[in-house]
């Protein structure tokens, strides 16, 4: 990857970017990481995931998780941007057009030369964000887009292949972008592990078995679109 690249990494939740492409972020200081789902629910509640992470309620969870994210990204010399949407566990997923507008604003503010987005595996929040990024790609034809394989869902049998097939049917091409592979230096490995460790609540929720699936080689796909294909986010 060119050293002068300005990266904008789109992360569904407060940890996805670091888990999925932390080495890439570590290799490019001042990367902007825009996380979509960072707001608490309108009325407080307690979910199974927040309880497993050690929180009494959602308000406590989101305050702590935002702080963890700032700490983790600080260890990678990255810049956090938190969009105030609510994730699916809080029963308030955003409208697709509203999400696309917010992401488009983040792009306008950041002016990246490369946008790194989730491939969109398994989790409804990840699919929603990925589809919004695909719609954004058609609005930003001069900007390169790369999709990272979402950790830990990339370990699930067949999910990557199914998503790539779905994208192909909708007019999107995905190729392994060897030029964008993150350099696997020991320094970057240490930085990524330290950043992951900063997500203390999420590691608690994953448990020992789940944590074992978090450390895997990063893999991205260079994306392109067929201009003859439909232009909606669900195309």
């Amino acid at each position: 990857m060119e050293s002068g690249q300005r990266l904008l990494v789109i992360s569904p939740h407060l940890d996805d970017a670091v888990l999925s492409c932390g080495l890439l972020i570590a290799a490019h200081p001042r990367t902007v990481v825009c996380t979509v789902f960072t707001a608490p629910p309108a009325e407080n509640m307690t979910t199974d995931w927040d309880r497993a992470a050690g929180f009494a309620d959602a308000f406590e969870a989101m305050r702590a998780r935002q702080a963890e994210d700032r700490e983790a990204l600080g260890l990678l010399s990255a810049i956090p941007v938190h969009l105030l949407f609510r994730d699916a566990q809080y029963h308030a997923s955003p409208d697709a057009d509203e999400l696309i507008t917010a992401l488009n604003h983040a792009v306008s503010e950041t002016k990246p030369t490369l946008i790194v987005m989730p491939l969109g595996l398994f989790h409804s929040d990840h699919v929603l964000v990925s589809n919004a990024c695909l719609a954004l790609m058609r609005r930003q034809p001069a900007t390169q887009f790369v999709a990272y394989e979402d950790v830990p869902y990339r370990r699930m049998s067949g999910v990557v292949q199914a998503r790539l097939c779905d994208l192909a049917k909708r007019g999107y091409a995905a190729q392994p972008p060897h030029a964008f592979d993150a350099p696997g230096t020991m320094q970057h490995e240490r930085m990524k592990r330290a950043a992951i460790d900063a997500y203390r609540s999420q590691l608690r929720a994953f448990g020992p078995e789940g944590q074992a699936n978090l450390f895997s080689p990063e893999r991205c796909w260079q994306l392109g679109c067929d201009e003859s294909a439909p232009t909606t986010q669900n195309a």
Side-chain angles (χ1 to χ4, degrees):
M1 181 184 295
E2 298 176 9
S3 59
Q5 289 273 35
R6 296 188 305 277
L7 272 62
L8 171 62
V9 178
I10 308 298
S11 183
H13 303 110
L14 293 157
D15 66 359
D16 290 319
V18 172
L19 293 177
S20 302
C21 58
L23 292 177
L24 184 65
I25 297 169
H28 296 83
R30 306 298 293 171
T31 289
V32 174
V33 177
C34 178
T35 304
V36 173
F37 301 110
T38 73
E43 296 184 3
N44 207 357
M45 64 175 67
T46 302
T47 66
D48 290 341
W49 182 261
D50 287 344
R51 189 180 298 109
F55 299 118
D57 55 51
F59 286 1
E60 178 188 10
M62 296 315 296
R63 283 195 302 270
R65 292 192 64 188
Q66 286 191 27
E68 289 175 351
D69 190 59
R70 288 190 290 269
E71 178 183 350
L73 295 181
L75 292 168
L76 300 178
S77 298
I79 303 168
V81 172
H82 293 163
L83 302 184
L84 297 179
F85 293 110
R86 302 180 180 99
D87 67 32
Q89 70 170 335
Y90 299 142
H91 313 299
S93 297
D95 175 82
D97 289 337
E98 183 182 11
L99 178 53
I100 293 167
T101 298
L103 291 175
N104 191 59
H105 179 73
V107 172
S108 298
E109 290 288 312
T110 307
K111 297 179 174 60
T113 57
L114 178 70
I115 295 175
V116 186
M117 55 175 274
L119 186 58
L121 304 180
F122 180 71
H123 194 298
S124 62
D125 286 340
H126 286 239
V127 175
L128 179 63
V129 171
S130 180
N131 286 342
C133 289
L134 292 173
L136 189 65
M137 186 167 68
R138 295 189 179 275
R139 300 186 183 187
Q140 304 285 340
T143 304
Q144 290 182 296
F145 279 73
V146 170
Y148 57 79
E149 293 185 2
D150 318 42
V151 173
Y153 307 118
R154 59 168 288 185
R155 290 290 192 95
M156 300 172 67
S157 178
V159 295
V160 172
Q161 293 84 351
R163 181 59 170 169
L164 293 175
C165 287
D166 175 61
L167 293 181
K169 291 176 182 178
R170 293 160 54 190
Y172 297 96
Q175 300 292 333
H178 301 295
F180 296 102
D181 289 345
T185 68
M186 290 300 296
Q187 178 187 4
H188 295 145
E189 288 278 359
R190 287 192 294 269
M191 291 170 67
K192 178 176 178 176
R193 285 185 174 270
I196 290 177
D197 287 344
Y199 295 109
R200 290 170 288 275
S201 66
Q202 303 312 288
L203 294 178
R204 187 181 303 117
F206 278 119
E209 184 176 349
Q211 289 179 35
N213 292 325
L214 301 182
F215 299 95
S216 58
E218 297 179 4
R219 192 161 56 216
C220 294
W221 297 84
Q222 178 78 51
L223 296 180
C225 58
D226 178 358
E227 294 303 325
S228 66
T231 57
T232 67
Q233 66 270 17
N234 294 319

